[in-house]
């Protein structure tokens, strides 16, 4: 009998706001523990929550980006549970009237190779609701410590339908949703900082069966590759158990151990009635008007896959280049600004190649861990635009362009300044000196074979003689002009 996995995800995303969800207490990462708190965060007697309007606006923007229906009215509920990371012993969340309903996330599966676009499909969403985050617990051998700095941070929970069937689909979903959210400026989604976390609900059933199998929840995974590995392991574990009867799959919550690469049981899975939800008496329902929705919609950025399709159609860029540019909104806007600064004299492919191959290589080779941020690069869109323009105009050759790149990436000088200061402009065509160099190359016996092949009709044989000319002119000669002079001399 064949089996299939059915997977639904709950992705928690901290929104990028200055203050917490229901108080003016600031929210940031990296501060001393328990320094970003106030009486509301600590749930001291007599305090009242006040809603963060910016968090609601960003949640509506997220819902619109993902094609959700924005509820005209949503309300706040108390989700009751007793745990050290929750100062109030309840969490303000949304239960039966969430902010966003439905929608979907477009994902791309891996193609046959890196150069080939994979299949696209849309994973359905159930809802997106807004809530406050809880604190962070750190466990030691004999003690546990709690940090309430992130308690109360605005948190969007994106709940998918059980609409995925493999670890690869889960990876594609997480990647797509992170690219969309970061690109829209709603969150940095830094999983190492806990700004994006994922729970996965997984069950396995016989192929052809419509009823879902017993659901197992994997809790609080904090890397996209970790989610993929955990889901792959759990599918394998459940499938093996069903095929062999080696164990009974029970409804429970499990944790992923990234060191041992296994899932481990944590506790039995709670149901919603275990949380005893009830409406929060201190917060009024939120009304979202059509005018408000239209205003938020007007500010939404282009989605990464839409931008990629546009680049391939409008600029005729290959998939490999667009798959690097488009997931990163900052990089894509850098490309568009550089292309605009060529004043219409540079091709999109030339600009994109410099960014994807040269600029990203330099940024990756910078000092420190990871890639140097684009904002810290000494090379601006104007540098790239001017370099492409003077190359296309024939002021310098592509070979000299590499020398100019090396210099401007160190000094930050504009390409035209470097060309002028170093005298790198191409030699004018038809120059007597160039013809003399070509005559010397032709006279060199080691090129006799190439000359013979050219005279027999092999035009490509000239290519081997262009190199010596470029070397003799220190790359300043125009290769096309050199080819022309060779033909004139040999025909």
């Amino acid at each position: 009998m064949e089996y299939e996995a059915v997977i639904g995800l709950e992705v928690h995303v901290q929104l990028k706001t200055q203050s917490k969800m229901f108080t003016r207490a600031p929210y940031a990462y990296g501060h001393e523990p328990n320094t970003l708190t106030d009486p509301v965060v600590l749930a001291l007697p007599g305090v009242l929550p006040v809603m963060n309007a910016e968090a609601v606006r960003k949640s509506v923007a997220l819902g619109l980006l993902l094609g959700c229906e924005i509820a005209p009215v949503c309300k706040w509920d108390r989700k009751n549970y007793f745990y050290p990371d929750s100062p109030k012993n309840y969490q303000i969340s949304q239960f039966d009237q969430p902010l966003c309903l439905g929608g979907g996330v477009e994902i791309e599966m891996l193609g046959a190779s890196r150069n080939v676009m994979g299949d696209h499909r849309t994973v359905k969403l159930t809802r997106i609701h807004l809530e406050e985050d809880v604190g962070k617990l750190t466990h030691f051998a004999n003690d546990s410590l709690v940090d309430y700095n992130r308690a109360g941070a605005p948190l969007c929970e994106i709940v998918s339908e059980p609409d995925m069937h493999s670890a690869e689909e889960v990876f594609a979903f997480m990647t797509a949703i992170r690219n969309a959210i970061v690109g829209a400026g709603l969150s940095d989604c830094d999983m190492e900082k806990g700004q994006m976390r994922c729970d996965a609900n997984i069950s396995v059933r016989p192929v052809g069966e419509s009823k879902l199998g017993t659901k197992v929840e994997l809790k609080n995974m904090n890397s996209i590759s970790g989610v993929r590995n955990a889901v792959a392991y759990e599918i394998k574990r459940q499938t093996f158990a069903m095929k062999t009867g080696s164990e009974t799959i029970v409804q429970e919550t499990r944790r992923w151990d990234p060191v041992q690469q296994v899932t481990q049981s944590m506790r039995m899975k709670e149901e919603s009635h275990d949380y005893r939800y009830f409406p929060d008496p201190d917060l009024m329902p939120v009304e979202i008007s059509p005018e408000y929705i239209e205003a938020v919609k007007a500010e939404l950025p282009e989605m990464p896959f839409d931008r990629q399709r546009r680049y391939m159609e409008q600029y005729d860029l290959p998939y490999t280049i667009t798959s690097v540019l488009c997931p990163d909104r900052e990089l894509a806007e850098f490309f568009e600004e550089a292309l605009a600064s060529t004043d219409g004299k540079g091709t999109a492919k030339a600009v994109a190649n410099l960014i994807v191959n040269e600029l990203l290589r330099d940024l990756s080779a910078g000092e420190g861990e990871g890639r140097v941020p684009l904002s810290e690069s000494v090379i601006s869109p104007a540098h790239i635009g001017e370099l492409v323009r003077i190359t296309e105009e024939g002021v310098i050759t592509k070979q000299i362009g590499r020398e100019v790149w090396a210099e401007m990436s160190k000094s930050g000088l504009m390409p035209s300044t470097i060309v002028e200061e170093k005298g790198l402009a191409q030699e004018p065509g038809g120059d007597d000196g160039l013809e003399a160099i070509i005559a010397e190359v032709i006279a060199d016996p080691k090129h006799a074979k190439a000359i013979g092949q050219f005279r027999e009709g092999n035009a490509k044989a000239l290519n081997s003689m262009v190199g010596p000319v470029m070397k003799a002119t220190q790359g300043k000669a125009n290769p096309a002009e050199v080819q022309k002079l060779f033909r004139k001399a040999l025909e």
Side-chain angles (χ1 to χ4, degrees):
M1 181 180 294
E2 295 297 320
Y3 293 87
E4 69 170 0
V6 182
I7 307 161
L9 296 184
E10 298 171 7
V11 181
H12 296 82
V13 175
Q14 284 181 355
L15 297 175
K16 189 190 291 186
T17 57
Q18 295 294 317
S19 58
K20 295 189 176 182
M21 187 62 231
F22 297 109
T23 174
R24 288 182 176 176
Y27 175 62
Y29 180 81
H31 286 242
E32 286 294 316
N34 297 309
T35 56
L36 303 181
T37 63
D38 68 0
V40 176
V41 172
L42 298 176
L44 298 183
V47 297
L48 291 173
V50 178
M51 188 190 74
N52 184 330
E54 179 64 9
V56 173
R57 192 191 70 80
K58 281 188 160 64
S59 301
V60 171
L62 175 58
L64 293 172
L65 275 176
L66 301 180
C68 299
E69 177 186 346
I70 307 302
V73 179
C74 64
K75 68 179 179 68
W76 305 103
D77 301 279
R78 290 187 179 183
K79 180 181 181 182
N80 297 276
Y81 67 96
F82 297 96
Y83 210 61
D85 62 4
S86 177
K88 295 193 291 283
N89 281 329
Y90 65 82
Q91 179 186 28
I92 301 178
S93 182
Q94 296 183 315
F95 180 50
D96 57 341
Q97 288 184 258
L99 190 55
C100 311
L101 291 166
V105 177
E106 182 180 3
I107 65 172
E108 179 185 344
M109 303 303 294
L110 283 176
S113 71
R114 188 177 178 281
N115 300 331
V116 178
M117 178 186 285
D119 293 334
H120 282 227
R121 63 170 289 245
T122 297
V123 175
K124 297 176 184 174
L125 296 181
T126 306
R127 56 187 274 165
I128 300 175
H129 64 258
L130 185 55
E131 60 189 20
E132 58 180 348
D133 207 346
V134 295
K136 180 181 179 183
L137 288 169
T138 304
H139 301 287
F140 300 93
N142 299 309
D143 303 289
S144 292
L145 300 178
V146 61
D147 177 7
Y148 288 129
N149 277 357
R150 82 176 188 191
L155 194 69
C156 264
E157 181 170 335
I158 305 162
V159 183
S160 85
E161 292 282 291
D163 195 23
M164 289 169 273
H165 302 280
S166 70
E168 288 70 29
E169 282 184 299
V170 168
F171 184 85
F173 179 91
M174 294 290 292
T175 302
I177 210 165
R178 183 182 61 182
N179 290 343
I181 293 173
V182 173
L186 305 178
S187 171
D188 291 334
C189 291
D190 188 330
M191 298 186 77
E192 290 185 358
K193 297 178 180 176
Q195 294 169 348
M196 184 177 181
R197 311 189 293 272
C198 178
D199 303 339
N201 293 295
I202 305 164
S203 62
V204 170
R205 67 187 178 190
V207 172
E209 175 65 69
S210 58
K211 183 180 176 183
L212 293 174
T214 302
K215 182 173 65 177
V216 171
E217 181 186 47
L218 300 182
K219 196 74 175 171
N220 273 340
M221 293 169 286
N222 57 4
S223 78
I224 292 181
S225 59
V227 176
R228 176 174 59 186
N229 294 340
V231 168
Y233 174 87
E234 191 58 24
I235 292 172
K236 187 176 179 181
R237 182 184 76 90
Q238 293 187 33
T239 303
F240 182 78
M242 294 187 71
K243 283 185 174 179
T244 64
S246 58
E247 64 175 312
T248 301
I249 302 299
V250 296
Q251 184 166 321
E252 62 178 341
T253 297
R254 298 175 72 88
R255 64 179 288 271
W256 170 242
D257 186 330
V259 177
Q260 299 186 50
Q261 295 283 298
V262 297
T263 62
Q264 298 169 332
S265 182
M266 290 173 61
R267 58 178 184 263
M268 300 310 290
K269 171 68 177 168
E270 294 93 345
E271 300 288 354
S272 63
H273 60 257
D274 293 322
Y275 293 115
R276 296 174 293 113
Y277 282 96
F278 66 85
D280 192 299
D282 294 331
L283 287 162
M284 296 292 289
V286 181
E287 295 186 7
I288 308 290
S289 69
E291 294 77 15
Y292 181 89
I293 293 173
E294 289 304 313
V296 175
K297 191 180 292 184
E299 298 176 351
L300 296 179
E302 189 175 24
M303 287 287 275
F305 285 132
D306 291 336
R307 187 190 295 269
Q308 186 173 20
R309 282 185 280 267
R310 179 168 65 84
Y311 280 12
M312 294 172 73
E313 182 178 347
Q314 180 177 351
Y315 300 127
D316 195 29
L317 291 179
Y319 168 75
T320 46
I321 287 180
T322 59
S323 63
V324 175
L325 289 178
C326 298
D328 186 333
R329 181 184 174 187
E330 185 184 17
L331 194 64
E333 291 180 346
F334 187 99
F335 157 75
E336 293 190 20
E337 191 175 344
L339 181 60
S341 66
T342 66
D343 297 327
K345 296 176 181 176
T347 65
K349 193 170 291 185
V351 173
N353 276 329
L354 282 179
I355 293 173
V356 170
N357 297 320
E358 307 299 329
L359 180 61
L360 292 186
R361 180 202 61 206
D362 288 355
L363 294 178
S364 297
E367 296 181 357
E369 296 181 0
R371 197 175 88 184
V372 174
L374 188 60
S375 58
E376 297 179 13
S377 172
V378 297
I379 295 179
S380 68
H383 283 90
I384 292 178
E386 186 173 282
L387 179 58
V388 169
R389 179 172 56 77
I390 62 176
T391 305
E392 296 290 328
E393 288 175 338
V395 175
I396 59 172
T397 63
K398 290 182 179 177
Q399 183 176 340
I400 291 294
R402 286 192 281 273
E403 185 177 340
V404 172
W405 180 280
E407 177 58 34
M408 73 180 192
S409 64
K410 288 188 294 185
S411 64
L413 291 172
M414 293 300 288
S416 56
T417 303
I418 296 171
V419 170
E420 183 178 354
E421 289 183 352
K422 293 196 168 190
L424 297 175
Q426 286 192 94
E427 299 289 349
D431 180 78
D432 291 343
L434 187 58
E435 290 181 345
I437 295 171
I438 287 174
E440 289 180 11
V441 173
I442 292 173
D444 190 335
K446 68 182 180 184
H447 296 124
K449 182 178 178 181
I451 293 171
Q453 290 173 336
F454 172 76
R455 284 174 168 157
E456 290 172 358
N458 182 3
K460 292 183 179 179
L462 284 185
N463 293 339
S464 65
M465 296 193 290
V466 173
V469 179
M470 299 302 292
K471 183 178 179 181
T473 60
Q474 298 181 319
K476 297 179 184 178
N478 184 322
E481 184 67 19
V482 172
Q483 290 261 2
K484 179 181 173 183
L485 292 175
F486 265 124
R487 287 191 175 86
K488 178 182 175 183
L490 294 174
E491 290 177 347

